[in-house]
Amino acid sequence: MYRVLMPVDTSEDRALAQAEYVASLPNAADTVEAYILFVFTGDSEELPREFENFKSASRIGSVRRAQEALEEAGVDVTILEDSGDTEEDILEEAEAFDVDSIVLGGRKRSPVGKAIFGSTTQGIILNSDRPVVVTGSGD
């Protein structure tokens, strides 16, 4: 089996773009296992209203939509959740599940935006020992 880690945020468009890429892999229905990861960040007072009632990744819209798209394509899916530092958690989960690649959902950011706010995508690319694919935003 080819194992793929698919970290998603709250953007359904990005999550669907990631799922479409994974589903397009050769013989995906027979050979791919997808691990969808959602990382809760910040303390409970900083969580968006959507998360207040339930802190369960399977209830997040982007996670559900990606899961549905992959299952429709016949891909085996496992939902993972974590909390803390997003980049560190992604790299730890990739190691823990011994994935073959990481599929990230990219978004456009200016060079200044990257410098000020950092970039999880850039950090994963630079610090992972596994292949990293960055899909478009899905827009």
Side-chain angles (χ1 to χ4, degrees), residues 42-104:
D43 60 35
S44 59
E45 292 177 10
E46 296 174 356
L47 290 175
R49 184 187 258 351
E50 179 182 4
F51 307 147
E52 288 176 1
N53 297 331
F54 41 80
K55 194 172 178 182
S56 172
S58 62
R59 296 187 177 236
I60 306 300
S62 57
V63 174
R64 278 196 324 267
R65 296 282 307 272
Q67 179 181 12
E68 290 167 1
L70 289 169
E71 287 176 346
E72 239 177 66
V75 175
D76 291 332
V77 178
T78 301
I79 305 298
L80 307 172
E81 58 186 63
D82 209 329
S83 61
D85 180 277
T86 306
E87 182 181 328
E88 183 179 312
D89 289 335
I90 291 169
L91 295 171
E92 286 175 1
E93 295 293 351
E95 182 73 26
F97 288 92
D98 194 27
V99 297
D100 297 294
S101 67
I102 301 171
V103 177
L104 301 172

Side-chain angles (χ1 to χ4, degrees), residues 8-31:
V8 299
D9 60 12
T10 57
S11 169
E12 291 184 22
D13 289 337
R14 279 193 295 274
L16 285 173
Q18 290 168 264
E20 288 171 9
Y21 170 80
V22 172
S24 75
L25 292 170
N27 302 314
D30 298 323
T31 63

